[in-house]
C-alpha cells in the first residue's frame, strides 16, 4: 500500500488511504492508549512520587498496603495497583519473588 502524503490536508484531493490511516490511528489512540484509572490509584501513585522525592525509593509490600489503605484501597487490591503501575513502567514490582516481599 502506497500513501501519498503530499496531499495531506488538501480536502478532496487528499489520498483516501491517508484519510483511512489517520482515522484508524486516531481510533487506536483514543480506544487503546487511554487507560482509565481509579482516582484512588492515582492518589496512591502521587504518594509514591512524594516518597521518591524524599529519597525513599524502596518500600515493603506491607508499607505499600498501608499507603493503599490510607488511599482507601482495600489491602487485597494493593498488589493489583502495584502490578498496574509496574506494567506501565512507573514502578518495579515483582510479586513472584518471595525475598522481595
Amino acid at each position: 500500500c502506497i500513501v501519498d502524503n503530499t496531499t495531506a490536508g488538501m480536502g478532496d484531493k487528499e489520498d483516501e488511504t491517508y484519510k483511512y490511516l489517520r482515522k484508524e490511528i486516531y481510533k487506536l489512540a483514543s480506544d487503546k492508549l487511554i487507560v482509565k484509572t481509579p482516582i484512588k490509584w492515582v492518589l496512591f501513585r502521587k504518594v509514591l512520587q512524594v516518597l521518591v522525592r524524599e529519597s525513599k525509593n524502596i518500600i515493603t509490600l506491607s508499607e505499600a498496603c498501608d499507603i493503599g489503605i490510607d488511599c482507601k484501597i482495600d489491602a487485597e487490591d494493593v498488589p493489583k495497583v502495584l502490578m498496574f503501575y509496574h506494567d506501565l513502567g512507573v514502578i518495579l514490582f515483582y510479586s513472584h519473588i518471595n525475598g522481595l516481599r
Side-chain angles (χ1 to χ4, degrees), residues 4-82:
D4 180 6
N5 67 353
T6 62
T7 63
M10 300 280 244
D12 292 338
K13 295 179 183 179
E14 186 172 61
D15 185 333
E16 289 298 319
T17 309
Y18 191 82
K19 290 178 185 179
Y20 172 78
L21 184 59
R22 181 188 303 124
K23 184 176 113 187
E24 290 301 310
I25 290 171
Y26 179 79
K27 190 166 71 173
L28 173 71
S30 48
D31 291 345
K32 305 289 184 205
L33 298 180
I34 296 174
V35 179
K36 294 183 180 177
T37 310
I39 192 73
K40 297 173 190 178
W41 292 22
V42 174
L43 178 58
F44 181 88
R45 180 177 177 196
K46 293 290 184 189
V47 172
L48 294 182
Q49 289 172 331
V50 168
L51 291 175
V52 168
R53 279 195 297 266
E54 296 173 352
S55 299
K56 178 130 173 110
N57 296 320
I58 299 171
I59 61 172
T60 65
L61 183 56
S62 176
E63 290 171 317
C65 286
D66 290 342
I67 293 167
I69 290 167
D70 289 343
C71 296
K72 307 295 186 228
I73 299 170
D74 293 334
E76 60 270 5
D77 289 336
V78 170
K80 293 177 198 169
V81 178
L82 293 170

